[in-house]
Structures are given as structure tokens and as C-alpha cells.
């Protein structure tokens, strides 16, 4: 279908409000792209900006970004063909050190879990930096779990739907950070492109993941992609020092149920494994 005109500001605002209300009320809604078949990625990122403003108006603050669908091995399953991004808020970022007891699933809609490499930016990346240069912008690296959710029944959607629905972001749990200290950059660069990880549920292996699952080059490739995408989007702010960036799942995303215990076994990176009960 050829587009005659883009959605109005009012319709973008209405879409953002509907999505945020659905998340707050833990309700699933019809696909945005079914209600408006012309709704595209540019429209979806306009919704992303509107949602950010709504969340900031009620006291939430942006602390970073999540990059989604960096695992090219699962694109066909989720009907996508490129990575997406969304905001991480101070209400959705959690440190494992602060988690006491099982995590409640009630706040999420059809939650799934993803093991991810998380970066803490020490300085703002610049457009045109390659992966080695980007590593110099990273102050620390950690292993984390992102809990993703779908406001659309059965995890069936199109890419613009996922972007509008907060990049499917529900919460980010970050493990113990390891500093990228002066003189260690070469070792970190090598390890970030070669490591392996096991995702486990109740002490049983669910899937083995690899650095190359993330855009074939590893987490730094995901960071580079995000920097370039944001540079081409004048409506979205660039990355800044202090932001937390989670670089996408190293395995498929798996449904979470109550009374499950999920953990990791990482090899080839000097990071602490993470463990989360629900």
C-alpha cells in the first residue's frame, strides 16, 4: 500500500498513550500495523520519542538504550530484518546486587528472558568510529539479563510494532561490572568477538550462544550499528557518557514462568555469571 500522508502528531501521541497504558495495565492490544498498514519504522520512532516524553513527565528518567534483534539467527522467526533500539529507564534498570528474592512476573506481558552483554559508556561515541575506537568509549562491561515482553499476543508482530512498543523492553538486570582499564583494551577487543555463553534454566542447558550471534561481529558491532542509526535520526538524541547500553540477546528469547531459576555460564570473558529467580 502506498502512503498518502504520514500519521499526524495527534495520532502519534494517541498511539504512544495507548501503548503505555497497555503496558501499565498488563494488557495486550492489536498490532499498530494492523490498524494502520502504512505505519512504518519512521512513525514507530516518532512514537518512541512520544513515549519517552510521557514517561519523563511522570518522573521516569532515561539511563540508556537497548538494542534488539541483533541476533541474526532469529530474524525469520520474529519477522524482522534489522536491529531495533529503545530506551532503558531508571524504573526498568536493576542491579543484581540490589535484587533480593525472586523477581515478580506480574509487571510483564508474555515475558521472555535474554542473556546480553551490557556496556557502560565512559564517553560519548562519535559517528564513524570503528569497533576498536568504540571500545575506548566503554568504561565497563557486564553480563545481564533483559526481560522482554510483547504487548501483542503470541509474540507475532512486524518490526514497526516492536519499536513502538518500547523495543519490547521490560526490564534490564545488570551483573557485576568489569572495568575496561588502560592497557586492557586489546584483550577486551579480542574477547568480545570470541566468547561463548550457556543459558540455563533450573540447572539444565537451554541454549549455547556465541559472540558472533550479535551481528556476526559481537557486541561492539551492535554498538557501532546503534551509533550510526542514531546519527541518521535527527529526532533521537545521540549516545552520551554515562549511558548503559545492552547489546542484544546472545541466544533466542525464552518464555519465563514462575518458580524458575535462570543462570549463565560464560567462557572467554572475565565477567561474573548472572543468576535470576522468578
Amino acid at each position: 500500500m502506498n502512503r498518502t500522508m504520514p500519521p499526524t502528531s495527534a495520532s502519534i501521541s494517541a498511539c504512544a498513550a495507548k501503548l503505555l497504558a497497555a503496558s501499565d495495565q498488563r494488557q495486550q492490544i492489536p498490532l499498530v500495523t494492523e490498524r494502520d498498514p502504512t505505519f512504518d519504522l519512521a512513525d514507530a520512532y516518532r512514537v518512541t520519542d512520544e513515549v519517552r516524553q510521557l514517561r519523563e513527565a511522570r518522573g521516569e528518567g532515561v539511563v540508556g538504550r537497548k538494542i534488539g534483534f541483533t541476533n541474526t539467527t532469529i530474524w525469520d522467526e520474529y519477522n524482522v530484518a534489522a536491529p531495533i533500539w529503545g530506551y532503558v529507564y531508571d524504573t526498568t534498570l536493576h542491579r543484581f546486587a540490589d535484587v533480593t528474592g525472586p523477581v515478580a512476573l506480574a509487571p510483564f506481558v508474555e515475558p521472555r528472558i535474554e542473556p546480553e552483554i551490557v556496556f557502560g559508556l565512559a564517553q560519548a561515541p562519535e559517528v564513524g568510529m570503528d569497533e576498536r575506537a568504540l571500545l575506548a568509549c566503554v568504561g565497563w562491561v557486564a553480563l545481564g539479563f533483559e526481560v522482554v515482553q510483547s504487548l501483542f499476543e503470541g509474540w507475532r508482530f512486524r518490526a514497526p510494532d516492536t519499536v513502538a512498543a518500547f523495543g519490547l523492553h521490560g526490564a534490564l538486570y545488570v551483573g557485576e561490572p568489569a572495568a575496561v582499564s588502560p592497557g586492557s583494551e586489546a584483550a577486551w577487543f579480542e574477547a568480545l568477538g570470541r566468547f561463548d555463553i550457556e543459558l540455563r534454566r533450573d540447572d539444565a542447558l537451554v541454549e549455547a550462544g556465541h559472540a558472533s550471534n550479535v551481528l556476526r561481529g559481537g557486541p561492539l558491532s551492535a554498538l557501532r550499528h546503534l551509533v550510526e542509526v542514531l546519527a541518521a535520526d535527527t529526532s533521537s538524541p545521540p549516545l552520551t557518557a554515562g549511558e548503559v547500553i545492552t547489546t542484544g540477546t546472545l541466544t533466542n528469547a525464552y518464555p519465563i514462568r514462575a518458580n524458575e531459576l535462570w543462570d549463565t555460564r560464560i567462557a572467554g570473558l572475565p565477567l561474573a555469571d548472572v543468576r535470576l529467580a522468578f
Side-chain angles (χ1 to χ4, degrees):
M1 178 180 295
N2 292 325
R3 161 163 288 183
T4 56
M5 59 185 301
T8 65
S9 295
S11 62
I12 290 293
S13 296
C15 181
K18 183 171 184 176
L19 286 160
L20 190 56
S23 178
D24 290 343
Q25 297 163 14
R26 285 68 169 170
Q27 294 179 344
Q28 290 179 311
I29 59 176
L31 297 178
V32 181
T33 54
E34 284 184 353
R35 298 196 306 271
D36 177 5
T38 69
F39 187 84
D40 61 16
L41 283 170
D43 300 326
Y45 282 113
R46 290 174 65 195
V47 172
T48 295
D49 184 64
E50 186 72 22
V51 168
R52 176 186 58 79
Q53 295 180 56
L54 291 172
R55 296 182 80 152
E56 288 178 337
R58 68 187 193 182
E60 297 182 72
V62 170
V63 294
R65 322 286 174 105
K66 64 80 49 88
I67 315 173
F69 296 125
T70 57
N71 188 340
T72 60
T73 69
I74 62 176
W75 281 1
D76 289 344
E77 178 178 349
Y78 291 100
N79 193 30
V80 298
I84 63 170
W85 70 270
Y87 288 109
V88 177
Y89 295 88
D90 53 10
T91 53
T92 66
L93 177 66
H94 309 278
R95 308 285 180 176
F96 275 92
D98 299 326
V99 176
T100 58
V103 172
L105 292 177
F108 309 110
V109 185
E110 282 197 61
R112 297 188 178 190
I113 194 168
E114 300 178 345
E116 307 195 6
I117 296 298
V118 184
F119 293 143
L121 296 183
Q123 63 187 61
E126 296 180 5
V127 179
M129 283 183 167
D130 63 13
E131 282 82 350
R132 285 188 183 274
L134 285 170
L135 181 59
C137 299
V138 175
W140 55 261
V141 183
L143 187 56
F145 277 140
E146 186 181 16
V147 175
V148 288
Q149 62 175 350
S150 177
L151 298 181
F152 314 109
E153 185 176 358
W155 280 77
R156 298 300 173 193
F157 37 60
R158 299 177 181 89
D161 301 299
T162 69
V163 170
F166 331 132
L168 306 179
H169 177 66
L172 176 63
Y173 295 86
V174 180
E176 182 179 351
V180 181
S181 55
S184 68
E185 294 90 349
W188 274 110
F189 183 81
E190 179 74 13
L192 283 165
R194 298 174 61 89
F195 69 90
D196 300 303
I197 190 170
E198 291 183 355
L199 176 65
R200 305 175 68 86
R201 178 183 57 226
D202 297 332
D203 293 325
L205 177 65
V206 174
E207 185 182 342
H210 312 280
S212 60
N213 285 353
V214 179
L215 291 183
R216 300 185 174 89
L220 287 169
S221 295
L223 179 59
R224 183 178 184 180
H225 173 85
L226 179 60
V227 171
E228 293 172 351
V229 166
L230 291 174
D233 181 1
T234 57
S235 65
S236 299
L239 300 178
T240 60
E243 286 199 53
V244 173
I245 311 297
T246 189
T247 56
T249 186
L250 295 156
T251 65
N252 207 332
Y254 288 92
I256 315 167
R257 297 175 179 84
N259 302 314
E260 290 181 338
L261 177 64
W262 291 81
D263 69 329
T264 62
R265 300 287 190 276
I266 194 163
L269 271 178
L271 298 179
D273 282 301
V274 291
R275 186 179 181 91
L276 203 58
F278 295 91

